[in-house]
Amino acid sequence: MANSHRKLIFNISIGFYCSAVIQICICSQFTSSSIDQFNKDRGAFPVAINGEIFPWHELRLPTMVIPLHYDLFVHPNLTSLDFVASEKIEVLVRDATQFIILHSKDLEIMNVTLQSEEDLRYRRPGRKLTVLSYPAHEQIALLIPEKLTADLRYSVTIDFQAKLADGFEGFYKSTYRTLGGETRTIAVTDFEPTQARMAFPCFDEPLFKANFSIKIRRESRHIALSNMPKVKTIELEGGLLEDHFETTVKMSTYLVAYIVCDFNSVSGTASSGVKVSIHAAPDKWSQTHYALEASLKLLDFYENYFDIHYPLAKLDLVAIPDFESGAMENWGLVTYRETSLLFDPKTSSTSDKLWVTRVIAHELAHQWFGNLVTMEWWNDIWLNEGFATYMELISVNVTYPELQFDDDFLDMCFEVIKRDSLNSSHPLSNQAETSTHIKEMFDAVSYKKGACILNMLKDFLSEEKFKKGIIRYLKKFSYRNAKNDDLWSSLSDDCLESDSTSGGFCYSDSKTASNTLTFLRENVEVKQMMATWTLQKGIPLVVVNREGRSLRLQQERFLNGVFKEDPEWGALQERYLWHIPVTYSTSSSNAIHRHILKSKTDTLDLPEKTSWVKFNVDSNGYYIVHYEGRGWDQLITQLNQNHTFLRPKDRISLIHDAFQLVSAGRLTLDKALDLTRYLQHETSIPALLKGLEYLELFYHITERRNVSDVTENLKHYLLQYFKPVIDMQSWCDEGSVWDRRLRSALLKLACYLNHAPCIQKATELFSQWMESSGKLNIPTDVLKIVYSVGAQTTAGWNYLLEQYELSLSGAEKNKILYALSTSKHQEKLMKLIELGMEGKVIKTQDLAPLLHAIARNPKGQQLAWNFVKENWIHLLKKFELGSFPIRMIISGTTSHFSSKDELQEVKLFFESLKAQGSHLEIFQIVLETISKNIKWLEKNLPILRNWLLISI
Ligand code: BES
Ligand code: ZN
């Protein structure tokens, strides 16, 4: 009876009100019939390493047994570089079974025992279990002689050991050099998405939330950190110490973390009493202070904004010397690449400061979005990453308004549009099963498109309503998992928390049936609208045609590199339809008009006569706009007459959309270039930089392809056109954030184009710096430029490499490495690659950005690409297939190609990889990008050439 009752609740729980009613809510795809199948049809099951049948054939774990609590003990040895460990997992059996399937990867399992609650009560020893291992699925099976009984709890004790991993995953070693030249080792974890299984056998899926009690044994020269505060330290015989940490809140395995190191820290207390500490290698301690200030401010902000306390008593942020990604949001113990956390006033630029602030804002947002409420499965990773990225905007705007992050956010949306307008894009919610595929989900679409459509929805619903909705979502799903629909329901649900809810309705004394109806209508509207943005890939194009006061709107799928005349265009459009919350303003008033475009075409009437219409006000919407007829000309006329009649972000989006439409064959390049002519008078720096970005891009394209006449003319045009602003720039760190970014961008361009005054000043500063033995402080805004100019002589290059080794500032090291990669000498570039492969002077974590930088150098592009082709196997030994670095290496060394021969070469290489069993989504993205580049050049090079001839 108990059993059937539980099953009934379980079935209900899959529906709308998952686990509001019950404690445990796991949406199972497996039933006990899968187990029966095992007994009937053993041939359908894989074979374990020892030759026996492995009783589970799915990548996802069964849900007959679920974890409740892990007692984990770990003892890493930083001399022998291995660890011994043991764990006791308390599990609940939901369906009678004879095996328990767990994840485990590269662990040596020594001993496994099982105890029932009764065994524990009477202190009976555990029964030893047989372990089968199936490495292809990173699973082990514990075989139980007698069936486990449903609804009972058991304890599984596992002793295991392993080497500290070599790479950046699981429980791995990281090293750093002290000022005195000594190399020291630390041990650190990094688990997301599927690497907790490399550190301890576990139910390594986000839905299996549990509590963790962690104990770490260490030497006295080290400290140990974990998610929770330390309760006590026990002294052991022989001088070892053992730290016991408080039991965690209920959480997913990928958020567990521990570190053994000898770092120093600075601490402060947030308004709520949470102790915040920043940890770094001892010699880098002085670079931790900005992070402390920022994390305290941001923690205060989030606790207030979400109206939910950060539930732990402490929050540690640690700068790890070897780190694969930018940062990781482990609950209470957030880990960062050094350049994402440390700020060195002498060498960190204003962009570096913005980056550190953004990363802290992002990871702290995850403490709610991701940690407190977690996506059910990795297919919806955008719920974590898109939200954390969106929250960067909200929190940084309030805590650091002077950083003016708004315009960077807009740029981020433009970046992902490039990717999302290729046919090889994917929907935000996308199937992901294997570890490689899951890793690939951490891409621009999940992060950036996720954030951009949330921003669009906020603009549609109003900030207040959106905020209320996400608070409701966080409160309702705290310590649980959620999916897309849960979010949409919370965002459209106007019920008060005190209202009673049932089956999607809300009831209260004050609110009557009409309220219920409004809620249902809105709920359906938001859900339907957002389904069009999350379940189908791509971005819409809104085509506007104005005749007098009548506006005809039409939507289609925007495709970069596929023209309307192309035969494939029609098929690529089929079945695409978005619910687009469009906004527009006109020359006649400041009002923002709103409309939802739900069908392919629609007609609107303007209230008054107007000389122009601009859609997508402030570029809050995720769509591109094309104006047919005289639409573009009317806007260009306005820009030339008085650009300030249009809002700054609208000017940026006009520049962006115009050049995107050129790539889609909808606007001619000369029209888009004509639009940039007004930039001489542009007063908004982000808008000016947007225009400059395209002109620079064309310069790099033609330079790489050796189209010397166009390159020369473009250089001439750029220097002539921007000369007044270039000459205005000082060589010191002064002004607002955007003044400083303008200075960096313009002087970088000027020196790149060999503008004599720029080269002269940079050379002078570089010589002074060398003469001072690296002690002179060069303004941070121009540091990279000065180094890059200095790197062009052999003496300068060698000196920079020496300084690279000595520098303790990650921000400075990045600038030096970039400068070194701009050398015109191939043997120097090759030396850098060799150093990166060796991993001592140039750390392996910096190899992917290094290859990317070398490939951007016209003298290095072939070198980098050949290297990747010839050393693919070696690269795969350093980074996992599907990881950030591997994807960066592939796209970074190929996506700038623009000839048919190069396309063919890349295609052949990818085919050979596929034949070896390596297949990545990025392959198709790269091939489409190169085809698009080829097409762009064929069509636009002659136009660019002519336009320059009449413009200079
Ligand atoms: N959760 C991610 C870390 C991560 C990345 C795990 C890839 C698994 C695969 C973390 O929150 C993150 O998003 N880090 C970003 C930095 C952020 C500011 C965009 C990163 O690592 O680049
Ligand atoms: Zn993230």
Side-chain angles (χ1 to χ4, degrees):
M1 176 58 208
N3 207 3
S4 65
H5 175 64
R6 186 176 43 70
K7 275 211 182 109
L8 183 67
I9 293 176
F10 176 65
N11 285 338
I12 295 169
S13 76
I14 298 173
F16 192 74
Y17 274 118
C18 186
S19 91
V21 209
I22 53 158
Q23 297 286 319
I24 303 144
C25 167
I26 308 271
C27 302
S28 169
Q29 340 146 16
F30 309 115
T31 59
S32 47
S33 65
S34 311
I35 292 85
D36 297 341
Q37 194 201 341
F38 167 64
N39 291 326
K40 272 191 237 130
D41 182 12
R42 289 183 171 235
F45 287 84
V47 179
I49 322 188
N50 69 352
E52 282 185 43
I53 298 216
F54 192 81
W56 190 251
H57 60 244
E58 308 274 349
L59 273 164
R60 295 285 297 268
L61 297 181
T63 52
M64 296 97 70
V65 177
I66 58 167
L68 301 174
H69 181 264
Y70 294 75
D71 249 315
L72 177 62
F73 162 80
V74 188
H75 178 196
N77 183 328
L78 297 189
T79 311
S80 54
L81 303 178
D82 47 21
F83 65 95
V84 290
S86 65
E87 65 180 344
K88 183 152 126 188
I89 315 176
E90 189 190 345
V91 298
L92 174 70
V93 174
R94 304 173 73 245
D95 278 305
T97 176
Q98 261 186 282
F99 54 81
I100 299 174
I101 310 292
L102 290 169
H103 283 113
S104 173
K105 186 183 174 192
D106 299 337
L107 298 173
E108 185 191 337
I109 307 233
M110 277 111 65
N111 190 32
V112 182
T113 55
L114 177 86
Q115 287 170 296
S116 64
E117 275 184 278
E118 230 180 43
D119 293 336
L120 285 170
R121 203 171 316 126
Y122 297 111
R123 294 176 186 275
R124 291 202 294 252
R127 275 166 293 167
K128 197 167 157 57
L129 301 185
T130 307
V131 186
L132 299 181
S133 179
Y134 185 51
H137 285 181
E138 302 170 354
Q139 290 170 354
I140 54 171
L142 314 181
L143 306 185
I144 298 141
E146 288 154 32
K147 262 194 175 175
L148 300 176
T149 315
D151 294 329
L152 290 191
R153 293 173 183 218
Y154 294 84
S155 279
V156 179
T157 304
I158 307 179
D159 299 326
F160 57 100
Q161 63 184 20
K163 286 175 81 65
L164 286 170
D166 278 328
F168 302 88
E169 304 188 333
F171 194 24
Y172 70 95
K173 54 182 181 285
S174 167
T175 57
Y176 71 93
R177 246 174 61 114
T178 63
L179 256 183
E182 182 194 346
T183 300
R184 293 191 186 159
T185 305
I186 68 163
V188 53
T189 56
D190 191 43
F191 291 167
E192 195 181 17
T194 57
Q195 286 96 244
R197 63 192 71 171
M198 293 173 72
F200 58 98
C202 56
F203 297 80
D204 199 10
E205 294 182 4
L207 203 51
F208 291 112
K209 291 198 176 188
N211 304 96
F212 297 82
S213 306
I214 296 175
K215 293 178 186 150
I216 311 271
R217 196 171 287 179
R218 61 173 168 94
E219 292 176 49
S220 60
R221 64 186 168 126
H222 290 131
I223 57 162
L225 300 167
S226 185
N227 304 86
M228 301 297 286
K230 194 163 73 179
V231 191
K232 62 176 174 191
T233 301
I234 294 178
E235 262 186 61
L236 304 167
E237 269 176 46
L240 287 181
L241 301 171
E242 196 174 284
D243 293 326
H244 295 197
F245 297 92
E246 274 175 32
T247 301
T248 69
V249 290
K250 211 169 156 205
M251 61 191 244
S252 306
T253 44
Y254 78 90
L255 293 168
V256 172
Y258 35 88
I259 299 172
V260 174
C261 65
D262 60 349
F263 284 1
N264 291 348
S265 61
V266 289
S267 304
T269 310
S271 306
S272 58
V274 175
K275 182 179 176 192
V276 178
S277 309
I278 315 293
H279 304 255
D283 299 331
K284 292 170 188 165
W285 182 80
S286 64
Q287 301 172 41
T288 53
H289 298 88
Y290 176 69
L292 182 63
E293 172 203 304
S295 48
L296 284 168
K297 268 194 190 182
L298 285 157
L299 188 64
D300 282 352
F301 171 83
Y302 285 132
E303 291 199 291
N304 273 321
Y305 187 89
F306 295 136
D307 187 31
I308 303 174
H309 275 303
Y310 169 78
L312 316 183
K314 66 92 176 170
L315 171 63
D316 288 314
L317 295 83
V318 192
I320 308 293
D322 300 272
F323 205 77
E324 186 171 88
S325 57
M328 175 61 211
E329 68 266 24
N330 317 299
W331 213 339
L333 182 59
V334 186
T335 42
Y336 294 80
R337 188 180 265 248
E338 288 185 338
T339 46
S340 304
L341 188 68
L342 302 182
F343 181 83
D344 172 30
K346 290 205 175 85
T347 55
S348 297
S349 66
T350 159
S351 305
D352 294 331
K353 185 174 221 167
L354 177 65
W355 175 247
V356 168
T357 317
R358 272 190 60 187
V359 185
I360 296 176
H362 179 104
E363 305 309 334
L364 294 201
H366 273 313
Q367 307 299 306
W368 286 263
F369 279 103
N371 300 10
L372 189 62
V373 180
T374 315
M375 72 279 140
E376 280 189 359
W377 181 245
W378 303 109
N379 64 324
D380 274 335
I381 186 62
W382 85 272
L383 278 178
N384 270 14
E385 297 304 347
F387 247 115
T389 308
Y390 166 77
M391 287 311 301
E392 289 172 31
L393 173 72
I394 304 300
S395 64
V396 175
N397 267 348
V398 172
T399 50
Y400 288 93
E402 69 276 16
L403 291 178
Q404 299 177 38
F405 181 49
D406 251 34
D407 293 293
D408 286 280
F409 188 84
L410 189 56
D411 240 7
M412 203 182 66
C413 299
F414 294 156
E415 261 171 56
V416 68
I417 287 172
K418 259 186 252 159
R419 160 90 173 75
D420 203 23
S421 52
L422 298 176
N423 192 38
S424 51
S425 191
H426 64 78
L428 264 172
S429 292
N430 201 20
Q431 275 237 331
E433 290 293 322
T434 62
S435 284
T436 302
H437 203 172
I438 291 169
K439 285 198 174 93
E440 289 185 275
M441 289 292 288
F442 290 79
D443 69 354
V445 173
S446 298
Y447 280 77
K448 298 176 182 175
K449 182 176 182 179
C452 299
I453 65 152
L454 288 171
N455 184 51
M456 173 170 73
L457 182 60
K458 175 201 71 179
D459 186 57
F460 171 67
L461 289 175
S462 84
E463 184 145 14
E464 198 193 318
K465 193 160 181 186
F466 187 79
K467 179 178 166 186
K468 265 193 189 159
I470 57 176
I471 294 173
R472 185 164 25 230
Y473 167 81
L474 287 173
K475 289 190 171 166
K476 184 164 169 188
F477 293 96
S478 283
Y479 303 105
R480 298 200 282 127
N481 299 75
K483 51 189 183 309
N484 279 350
D485 274 356
D486 298 324
L487 175 64
W488 310 140
S489 303
S490 300
L491 280 167
S492 37
D493 179 354
D494 245 347
C495 295
L496 299 169
E497 289 307 318
S498 55
D499 294 340
S500 55
T501 53
S502 159
F505 298 91
C506 67
Y507 301 100
S508 70
D509 293 343
S510 57
K511 295 185 176 191
T512 52
S514 75
N515 189 358
T516 307
L517 279 177
T518 316
F519 159 48
L520 272 184
R521 213 173 24 243
E522 280 189 8
N523 194 7
V524 170
E525 194 156 273
V526 171
K527 218 177 252 185
Q528 277 181 355
M529 173 189 283
M530 294 319 287
T532 71
W533 299 97
T534 51
L535 304 181
Q536 73 189 342
K537 63 183 178 183
I539 170 164
L541 169 68
V542 175
V543 181
V544 182
N545 202 323
R546 181 162 73 93
E547 262 175 44
R549 279 165 51 179
S550 166
L551 284 174
R552 208 181 97 85
L553 304 185
Q554 198 180 335
Q555 66 160 293
E556 56 188 65
R557 177 180 173 202
F558 178 75
L559 291 160
N560 202 334
V562 186
F563 298 175
K564 212 167 179 176
E565 310 81 80
D566 294 341
E568 66 269 35
W569 190 86
L572 290 170
Q573 292 291 332
E574 266 169 35
R575 290 194 301 277
Y576 280 86
L577 187 74
W578 285 267
H579 289 190
I580 313 171
V582 293
T583 53
Y584 58 97
S585 64
T586 72
S587 57
S588 321
S589 81
N590 280 331
I592 299 174
H593 304 272
R594 292 176 186 273
H595 175 74
I596 306 183
L597 178 62
K598 290 185 188 172
S599 47
K600 279 273 172 198
T601 58
D602 216 341
T603 311
L604 301 176
D605 288 320
L606 288 172
E608 61 241 318
K609 264 188 79 176
T610 177
S611 52
W612 51 259
V613 184
K614 161 75 176 64
F615 270 72
N616 199 1
V617 178
D618 274 342
S619 214
N620 277 316
Y622 190 73
Y623 56 93
I624 290 179
V625 187
H626 180 41
Y627 304 90
E628 280 188 337
R630 300 224 338 100
W632 277 107
D633 289 334
Q634 288 155 351
L635 287 160
I636 293 174
T637 306
Q638 182 61 67
L639 287 175
N640 285 325
Q641 278 170 359
N642 185 348
H643 63 273
T644 60
F645 272 54
L646 286 143
R647 303 147 85 98
K649 282 197 196 133
D650 284 338
R651 281 146 31 204
I652 299 177
S653 82
L654 284 174
I655 299 172
H656 169 263
D657 286 8
F659 284 106
Q660 292 311 304
L661 289 163
V662 172
S663 300
R666 298 300 272 268
L667 202 66
T668 58
L669 178 62
D670 44 4
K671 179 78 74 185
L673 287 167
D674 284 346
L675 187 146
T676 64
R677 286 191 198 275
Y678 93 95
L679 283 174
Q680 246 169 354
H681 309 288
E682 179 54 271
T683 39
S684 152
I685 294 175
L688 183 63
L689 286 178
K690 180 54 59 194
L692 181 65
E693 181 189 309
Y694 282 104
L695 296 170
E696 259 192 277
L697 174 73
F698 303 151
Y699 181 84
H700 290 301
I701 294 175
T702 55
E703 187 192 28
R704 272 201 215 100
R705 292 229 58 81
N706 285 324
V707 194
S708 47
D709 65 320
V710 180
T711 315
E712 272 308 302
N713 286 344
L714 247 175
K715 173 178 166 177
H716 197 78
Y717 178 78
L718 279 165
L719 285 177
Q720 182 190 329
Y721 192 81
F722 289 99
K723 189 169 186 300
V725 250
I726 292 174
D727 289 346
M728 263 164 55
Q729 300 307 314
S730 66
W731 288 67
C732 53
D733 294 342
E734 61 183 6
S736 72
V737 166
W738 281 100
D739 288 335
R740 297 180 59 177
R741 288 174 70 173
L742 179 69
R743 172 179 308 126
S744 298
L746 286 176
L747 294 178
K748 183 175 167 208
L749 174 72
C751 278
Y752 189 80
L753 297 179
N754 269 323
H755 184 47
C758 187
I759 298 285
Q760 201 184 341
K761 180 74 188 172
T763 311
E764 193 183 302
L765 281 172
F766 188 76
S767 306
Q768 287 170 6
W769 178 67
M770 262 176 83
E771 277 158 25
S772 74
S773 304
K775 296 212 168 43
L776 175 81
N777 285 337
I778 301 171
T780 59
D781 294 347
V782 295
L783 196 49
K784 197 153 113 177
I785 302 161
V786 172
Y787 288 162
S788 300
V789 171
Q792 302 311 314
T793 67
T794 298
W797 196 89
N798 288 337
Y799 186 70
L800 279 165
L801 188 56
E802 276 169 34
Q803 292 299 308
Y804 181 82
E805 253 195 281
L806 295 177
S807 175
L808 284 174
S809 152
E812 182 179 37
K813 287 177 89 121
N814 272 355
K815 292 178 184 71
I816 297 182
L817 195 55
Y818 170 81
L820 292 170
S821 79
T822 63
S823 169
K824 310 261 181 309
H825 299 144
Q826 301 217 336
E827 70 285 356
K828 292 199 175 80
L829 301 178
M830 201 53 227
K831 172 150 189 202
L832 291 178
I833 298 182
E834 279 160 11
L835 289 173
M837 288 300 281
E838 194 186 34
K840 286 183 185 149
V841 175
I842 300 176
K843 280 181 168 278
T844 307
Q845 66 165 5
D846 297 315
L847 181 59
L850 171 68
L851 285 167
H852 185 74
I854 293 178
R856 273 191 299 177
N857 173 350
K859 291 280 186 282
Q861 55 176 343
Q862 205 55 39
L863 186 89
W865 164 233
N866 287 340
F867 179 83
V868 170
K869 274 191 299 181
E870 285 154 23
N871 292 277
W872 182 249
I873 304 288
H874 300 295
L875 290 169
L876 271 194
K877 283 191 189 130
K878 295 181 186 289
F879 310 107
E880 298 288 320
L881 193 69
S883 65
F884 259 175
I886 282 291
R887 286 181 281 147
M888 187 185 210
I889 289 171
I890 293 194
S891 69
T893 54
T894 55
S895 22
H896 54 275
F897 285 148
S898 56
S899 76
K900 288 188 174 139
D901 288 348
E902 287 164 335
L903 176 64
Q904 191 53 22
E905 215 181 297
V906 176
K907 229 184 220 163
L908 281 177
F909 177 60
F910 289 167
E911 268 156 26
S912 75
L913 295 187
K914 279 191 222 165
Q916 295 161 33
S918 309
H919 184 67
L920 291 175
E921 201 182 46
I922 191 86
F923 295 168
Q924 194 51 33
I925 300 167
V926 165
L927 294 178
E928 258 189 68
T929 306
I930 302 177
S931 306
K932 183 199 79 183
N933 295 345
I934 296 172
K935 200 161 173 178
W936 192 96
L937 265 176
E938 263 172 15
K939 181 158 186 207
N940 292 312
L941 190 60
I943 304 179
L944 182 60
R945 183 176 275 129
N946 283 339
W947 188 84
L948 284 167
L949 288 177
I950 55 164
S951 302
I952 51 176

